Amino acid sequence: NICIYNDIKNKKKYLFKNYNDFGYIFFGLLNFLIIIFLIDVSKKKKIDKILLFSREGYFVKKGLDIIKTYSNVPDYKYFYTSRKISILSSIKEFKDIINSFSKHRYEGNVKELLKTRFEIKRKNIKKIKSFSINTKKNQKKLRYVLKKFKKQILKSSYQTRERYLIYLNNMIKKNENIAMFDQGFFGTTQSMIEKIMNRKFYGIFLSYYKKDKKRFGLFDYKSSNFKKLQIFFESLYTSPEGSVKNINSKNNFIFNKKEKSQRDFNNRDKVFSGIFEFISDFNYIFPLKNNLVDIELNKDITDLADTLFGLFKDNSLLISPEIKQIFFHENTFVKKKKYVLKI
């Protein structure tokens, strides 16, 4: 891997076709710093438990599982949530329905919007005229449709909130000092959970849009590669399950159907074997046992991780089509569009 680093540094053409090498070089240090950042904030703020949001938390948990074999780490749990279930659960009045589009637009068919955002059943939206809507541009139309379905949306929200609260109260005890981990940037999911539970928590993000006493970001929001290329991180750091869609009467989570990202999980695991190999190599050079607290998170090291992460988009690098296929993006919460990201 040192030879590959040198080739990249010297702007030599290099073809990446090995999943392991690709993960190690571009994401190894970044992943390691995520874990150190979680531990660092948790120690400073005396956190009892870190909740790792699904789905980006899936592989972060695996990294913490590895670190745990070398050193003590704060308690952590994989936590089922999503923008969808948190926003839907938080709606209590018509104003909340309207405000739910302030940071998260929707572009697509109005019937899909009602079904995707608010779990309105197909039989109840059959009679509505089908048309395309961009919620940023067509606010009059949006308001008209939402008013028409206000009762059904509020009923759906109440049902989801009552069920989701059972899960939340089981995961978050009254006297626990909790930190929530999400990639960023606005902390919408955490804010909605705080609203549902009427409590405030610490937030640990890879990048956060402003300074806040209870929310911390690892990479700079204004200038980092992470901020610019976050969509690639999101498409890589996913889980074997689709995103959380809702919760049923038996308090089991309902997930969106598995997409290409979930069906091709073997190749993703190969990338992460390289990412986690970085931890093993670091431990060989600098034994982590009892030394985690001595690892200083300064600007130089975070800038290096951010630079390496950004390098995979460098024009002098050639990345095999097989690796490129891993970066499949789908975000039905915003738009019914699925595609492989362009590297």
Side-chain angles (χ1 to χ4, degrees):
N1 283 319
I2 293 295
C3 297
I4 300 170
Y5 273 126
N6 289 334
D7 283 351
I8 294 169
K9 190 179 175 183
N10 297 323
K11 296 284 182 183
K12 286 184 182 177
K13 288 279 183 187
Y14 190 90
L15 172 63
F16 275 93
K17 54 185 179 181
N18 183 290
Y19 294 97
N20 189 288
D21 288 344
F22 180 83
Y24 188 104
I25 287 168
F26 300 116
F27 291 88
L29 180 58
L30 179 140
N31 185 80
F32 183 65
L33 292 194
I34 291 170
I35 294 165
I36 300 302
F37 187 51
L38 284 167
I39 293 168
D40 184 55
V41 173
S42 297
K43 284 185 184 296
K44 286 174 181 172
K45 299 301 173 185
K46 297 179 180 178
I47 300 299
D48 295 316
K49 184 162 62 185
I50 308 166
L51 298 179
L52 306 167
F53 283 10
S54 57
R55 296 183 280 173
E56 53 267 42
Y58 178 80
F59 279 110
V60 173
K61 181 184 179 298
K62 282 183 174 286
L64 278 163
D65 290 342
I66 295 167
I67 290 285
K68 200 176 178 180
T69 63
Y70 300 125
S71 185
N72 292 330
V73 297
D75 188 24
Y76 57 92
K77 298 281 183 223
Y78 188 65
F79 182 73
Y80 284 109
T81 194
S82 64
R83 283 176 300 177
K84 160 73 181 291
I85 197 170
S86 64
I87 289 174
L88 181 59
S89 299
S90 72
I91 292 170
K92 294 180 179 179
E93 55 185 324
F94 186 69
K95 184 176 70 173
D96 295 334
I97 302 171
I98 296 293
N99 290 343
S100 71
F101 292 91
S102 61
K103 283 195 172 80
H104 303 286
R105 74 191 190 283
Y106 186 86
E107 194 176 334
N109 188 283
V110 71
K111 290 187 177 185
E112 286 297 321
L113 182 152
L114 291 166
K115 188 165 66 75
T116 303
R117 287 279 174 108
F118 304 114
E119 291 294 305
I120 305 300
K121 292 175 181 175
R122 284 186 183 275
K123 65 179 182 181
N124 296 331
I125 53 178
K126 266 184 182 179
K127 289 180 183 179
I128 190 175
K129 188 180 175 184
S130 185
F131 61 88
S132 291
I133 190 166
N134 181 323
T135 58
K136 274 196 171 180
K137 295 177 182 177
N138 312 123
Q139 290 188 10
K140 250 189 178 180
K141 275 186 178 180
L142 174 67
R143 198 174 187 90
Y144 170 77
V145 171
L146 296 178
K147 262 200 166 173
K148 199 169 184 177
F149 284 88
K150 174 185 166 182
K151 280 187 179 178
Q152 290 181 53
I153 292 170
L154 292 177
K155 183 182 175 183
S156 175
S157 173
Y158 175 79
Q159 191 177 62
T160 299
R161 181 167 59 254
E162 290 298 295
R163 293 167 181 175
Y164 195 41
L165 261 171
I166 294 169
Y167 174 75
L168 294 176
N169 287 325
N170 186 45
M171 291 292 287
I172 303 168
K173 304 305 178 191
K174 275 189 179 179
N175 298 321
E176 283 184 318
N177 189 20
I178 296 289
M180 296 181 166
F181 168 74
D182 195 4
Q183 59 179 304
F185 299 105
F186 304 108
T188 303
T189 302
Q190 179 173 328
S191 295
M192 295 304 102
I193 292 168
E194 288 174 338
K195 182 184 172 187
I196 298 161
M197 299 192 77
N198 195 26
R199 281 180 68 180
K200 291 289 182 185
F201 307 106
Y202 283 102
I204 305 174
F205 302 87
L206 297 188
S207 183
Y208 194 63
Y209 77 109
K210 66 176 184 178
K211 286 189 175 180
D212 191 289
K213 287 181 181 178
K214 294 204 79 164
R215 299 189 178 192
F216 308 93
L218 179 59
F219 298 108
D220 185 75
Y221 178 74
K222 291 179 181 176
S223 61
S224 64
N225 286 318
F226 182 84
K227 167 63 169 59
K228 291 177 221 161
L229 303 172
Q230 170 270 341
I231 195 169
F232 289 91
F233 177 91
E234 186 180 348
S235 68
L236 181 66
Y237 276 72
T238 187
S239 70
E241 300 158 322
S243 61
V244 175
K245 182 182 173 187
N246 209 342
I247 189 165
N248 65 22
S249 57
K250 293 180 180 178
N251 292 315
N252 295 319
F253 285 104
I254 303 164
F255 301 94
N256 283 328
K257 69 175 185 178
K258 292 185 177 184
E259 297 289 351
K260 189 176 184 300
S261 297
Q262 284 72 47
R263 294 194 298 270
D264 297 346
F265 220 75
N266 283 346
N267 290 335
R268 193 175 307 275
D269 278 334
K270 290 175 191 174
V271 172
F272 273 95
S273 72
I275 291 173
F276 295 143
E277 192 180 307
F278 183 94
I279 298 173
S280 303
D281 286 355
F282 191 97
N283 181 62
Y284 180 77
I285 297 164
F286 183 83
L288 292 170
K289 191 174 181 182
N290 303 320
N291 288 324
L292 273 177
V293 288
D294 296 330
I295 299 171
E296 188 184 346
L297 270 176
N298 56 39
K299 191 176 183 300
D300 289 340
I301 194 74
T302 52
D303 282 354
L304 176 59
D306 189 56
T307 299
L308 288 169
F309 170 66
L311 272 175
F312 76 88
K313 286 276 286 176
D314 193 290
N315 291 331
S316 63
L317 299 177
L318 302 169
I319 296 167
S320 73
E322 290 79 16
I323 290 178
K324 286 181 180 180
Q325 287 297 313
I326 288 172
F327 293 96
F328 178 81
H329 182 68
E330 45 86 18
N331 186 359
T332 53
F333 189 75
V334 170
K335 197 181 207 180
K336 198 173 181 181
K337 189 179 179 185
K338 304 162 189 178
Y339 54 97
V340 175
L341 297 171
K342 191 175 179 182
I343 299 180

